[in-house]
Amino acid sequence: MGTWQHLFLCGGLLLRGGGRIPAPLGRSRSLVCRRQLSGADSENLKQRRTQIMSRGLPKQKPIEGVKQVIVVASGKGGVGKSTTAVNLALALSANDSSKAIGLLDVDVYGPSIPKMMNLKGNPELSQNNLMRPLFNYGIACMSMGFLVEETAPVVWRGLMVMSAIEKLLRQVDWGQLDYLVVDMPPGTGDVQLSVSQNIPISGAVIVSTPQDIALMDAHKGAEMFRKVHVPVLGLVQNMSVFQCPNCKHKTHIFGADGAKKLAQTLDLDVLGEIPLYPSIRETSDTGQPVVFSQPESDEAKAYLRIAMEVVRRLPPPPE
């Protein structure tokens, strides 16, 4: 048993086979299946949910050692949210080397940070039984991808996901961080609400392509954060334009100025635009993000400008 697995023993739960269906300790998997299919268990689950809902919203509690939390979100998957989160964290560090930066991946079902940050292995435990983040490129990183096998699917119901999120938020020893960038999963579901309601968030960055379908969901994402009183710092228009490397002709593959129009509707600003550069995809796939590996490139400078805009819009950190 790896040291990280102790974190998931709380409450009698253990991950088997790197992320497959969790089972109570000391019981067979067949018993778990029977319980999941029983009417009594379904009724107990409903009662448990009713009890949780009756408590009202949880009281927000800061993450120890973290001054400000910035969430990077999108309404739809596939718009470059994780790539933006990774390069934003690196850009925050590049713009001010005196700042300590962390990167938290709360996409339980599809964690991308381990590959993009070129990190593998299980986190060690501190003397206080907290997970220590893994480091690369000067950034402290934590992800569900460190806790399960790379190819193992996480086949979990909602309550198990919420338990994992709670541990990622509360059982990590970040040390002292100026900024914690949180890579949120796509959508506006349980994970987004849980994170927003449990920790104070300084601001949210919404990522979208200019395509109308993506913008519809980005609109929903921005409205969700407003409903839970999280300041929306602005929009990032990703994959804004493609320039042919040979003839230099520019093509708006996903449309033009969609994020600008949405920003006007929401009374927000566009923090920046990221063109559709092959190098951004290539460097992310090889675990060498463009802000780190090509700091003088136009691609990296675009992220650096966005990071400056994000910091400019953040409220002062708490004393």
Side-chain angles (χ1 to χ4, degrees):
M1 181 187 297
T3 54
W4 62 267
Q5 289 176 310
H6 290 289
L7 291 165
F8 291 86
L9 294 179
C10 299
L13 295 169
L14 173 65
L15 290 178
R16 294 183 177 178
R20 289 187 287 273
I21 297 175
L25 293 177
R27 300 183 186 180
S28 67
R29 186 169 296 170
S30 61
L31 178 58
V32 176
C33 294
R34 287 198 300 271
R35 288 194 60 194
Q36 289 177 343
L37 294 174
S38 70
D41 186 63
S42 177
E43 184 61 30
N44 289 336
L45 183 59
K46 291 180 181 178
Q47 292 177 2
R48 176 62 175 161
R49 287 174 176 168
T50 301
Q51 291 174 357
I52 293 174
M53 294 299 292
S54 66
R55 299 172 186 170
L57 295 178
K59 185 177 180 180
Q60 286 187 335
K61 179 182 176 183
I63 300 175
E64 186 173 353
V66 177
K67 291 182 179 179
Q68 292 187 295
V69 176
I70 304 166
V71 298
V72 179
S74 66
K76 183 177 290 296
V79 298
K81 170 186 53 61
S82 294
T83 302
T84 302
V86 166
N87 283 289
L88 174 61
L90 290 164
L92 289 169
S93 179
N95 284 340
D96 189 345
S97 60
S98 68
K99 301 297 185 182
I101 313 297
L103 182 59
L104 174 60
D105 183 359
V106 295
D107 192 345
V108 172
Y109 293 115
S112 303
I113 298 307
K115 182 174 180 62
M116 291 187 179
M117 291 295 288
N118 196 26
L119 286 168
K120 291 184 178 180
N122 302 139
E124 296 180 353
L125 292 182
S126 69
Q127 293 182 347
N128 296 328
N129 209 34
L130 300 177
M131 292 183 288
R132 290 195 176 105
L134 278 63
F135 279 81
N136 202 9
Y137 310 132
I139 307 296
C141 301
M142 180 53 62
S143 170
M144 192 68 193
F146 300 145
L147 308 178
V148 298
E149 297 173 10
E150 184 175 356
T151 58
V154 177
V155 187
W156 286 355
R157 295 181 182 274
L159 292 178
M160 280 298 298
V161 173
M162 292 301 100
S163 177
I165 295 298
E166 176 69 17
K167 289 175 173 59
L168 289 172
L169 291 175
R170 299 299 179 193
Q171 297 189 15
V172 178
D173 182 5
W174 291 106
Q176 297 297 316
L177 293 181
D178 293 285
Y179 304 117
L180 176 63
V181 178
V182 180
D183 180 18
M184 302 280 271
T188 56
D190 288 346
V191 174
Q192 289 83 356
L193 289 173
S194 180
V195 173
S196 301
Q197 293 172 353
N198 276 280
I199 62 174
I201 298 174
S202 299
V205 175
I206 308 296
V207 181
S208 178
T209 65
Q211 186 179 6
D212 287 346
I213 297 299
L215 291 166
M216 288 172 57
D217 290 334
H219 192 160
K220 296 174 185 176
E223 292 292 359
M224 183 214 72
F225 284 116
R226 284 177 166 174
K227 285 183 181 296
V228 293
H229 309 294
V230 172
V232 180
L233 304 177
L235 306 179
V236 171
Q237 180 165 275
N238 199 27
M239 309 180 198
S240 60
V241 64
F242 173 73
Q243 179 173 299
C244 175
N246 297 320
C247 68
K248 306 303 179 183
H249 176 71
K250 293 184 178 181
T251 304
H252 293 87
I253 296 176
F254 298 105
D257 298 330
K260 292 181 180 179
K261 295 175 183 177
L262 176 59
Q264 292 175 354
T265 301
L266 295 171
D267 193 23
L268 295 171
D269 294 324
V270 176
L271 301 173
E273 298 185 20
I274 307 296
L276 186 58
Y277 287 116
S279 58
I280 296 177
R281 191 271 305 168
E282 293 166 357
T283 55
S284 295
D285 285 349
T286 58
Q288 296 183 330
V290 69
V291 170
F292 169 80
S293 58
Q294 301 176 20
E296 299 302 320
S297 66
D298 291 340
E299 302 92 300
K301 291 177 181 177
Y303 286 114
L304 293 169
R305 289 192 294 269
I306 289 172
M308 292 178 63
E309 289 298 318
V310 167
V311 171
R312 190 168 70 85
R313 287 167 168 77
L314 287 174
E319 297 295 336

